[in-house]
Amino acid sequence: MFTIEDFLRVSNQMRDYYAKKIKDSFQEFNFSPNEISILIVLKNNSTITTSTELKVVLGVSKTLISRSVDSLEKKGLICTCIDEKDSRIHHLQLTGECKPILKIIDEEIGKINKTLLNDVSVEEMKSLKQTMSKLQKCVEKEE
């Protein structure tokens, strides 16, 4: 049986694959795969804004998230904002300087998708999307 844990493991493997492939296109910027993953997650998930949330989503250590966030801040690609209600919480935001890099990442993801999804039929993609929607609805009911 294919469990949720199996699904999450495959999802993490795919995200790592994307990050490593994209990293090859950014050798001049010296990004780590984790830094690329953080940029992708922040771009595509507006509700994920803290290091703790990134740690959970990416399935990596707090230390690795902290090091990657610090590096992205030094490169001027993200900034942190203190939460208005709780000063212990620091929200991460992409900066304007990040836009050209995100454009290149999107282009590279498009290339990777063509390769990875070459043998996946439209019907299979529709089925996957329907299954993911069902899972999302179940999670939303429980929240």
Side-chain angles (χ1 to χ4, degrees), residues 2-143:
F2 191 74
T3 66
I4 293 294
E5 290 79 9
D6 294 329
F7 172 78
L8 293 173
R9 192 170 12 269
V10 170
S11 294
N12 282 335
Q13 285 175 325
M14 287 185 69
R15 188 183 54 249
D16 289 345
Y17 174 80
Y18 275 78
K20 287 175 187 165
K21 285 290 192 182
I22 292 169
K23 182 182 184 296
D24 293 342
S25 300
F26 286 96
Q27 290 180 353
E28 70 214 58
F29 297 104
N30 199 28
F31 288 128
S32 72
N34 197 59
E35 289 172 346
I36 293 169
S37 290
I38 289 171
L39 292 174
I40 292 169
V41 169
L42 291 176
K43 177 187 177 290
N44 295 327
N45 302 282
S46 61
T47 60
I48 297 171
T49 64
T50 67
S51 293
T52 301
E53 292 165 334
L54 284 172
K55 175 185 154 318
V56 171
V57 169
L58 296 175
V60 297
S61 72
K62 186 176 182 177
T63 303
L64 182 54
I65 293 292
S66 179
R67 186 176 22 199
S68 298
V69 165
D70 287 346
S71 175
L72 290 168
E73 277 187 299
K74 286 176 185 168
K75 292 174 183 173
L77 302 175
I78 63 173
C79 61
T80 56
C81 302
I82 297 173
D83 190 278
E84 294 174 1
K85 297 177 185 172
D86 187 343
S87 62
R88 297 172 296 173
I89 300 173
H90 293 219
H91 295 283
L92 305 172
Q93 293 180 333
L94 297 170
T95 65
E97 292 179 43
C98 193
K99 286 182 183 181
I101 290 169
L102 294 176
K103 184 177 186 234
I104 297 169
I105 288 173
D106 283 343
E107 291 168 1
E108 292 301 313
I109 287 173
K111 292 176 190 175
I112 295 166
N113 285 346
K114 284 182 182 176
T115 302
L116 280 182
L117 303 176
N118 188 39
D119 293 333
V120 179
S121 70
V122 172
E123 292 80 21
E124 289 170 321
M125 287 305 294
K126 285 181 183 177
S127 178
L128 177 60
K129 186 176 180 180
Q130 289 172 340
T131 302
M132 294 303 297
S133 293
K134 284 182 182 179
L135 290 172
Q136 183 180 11
K137 287 177 185 172
C138 288
V139 169
E140 288 171 354
K141 282 182 191 175
E142 295 296 318
E143 289 180 334

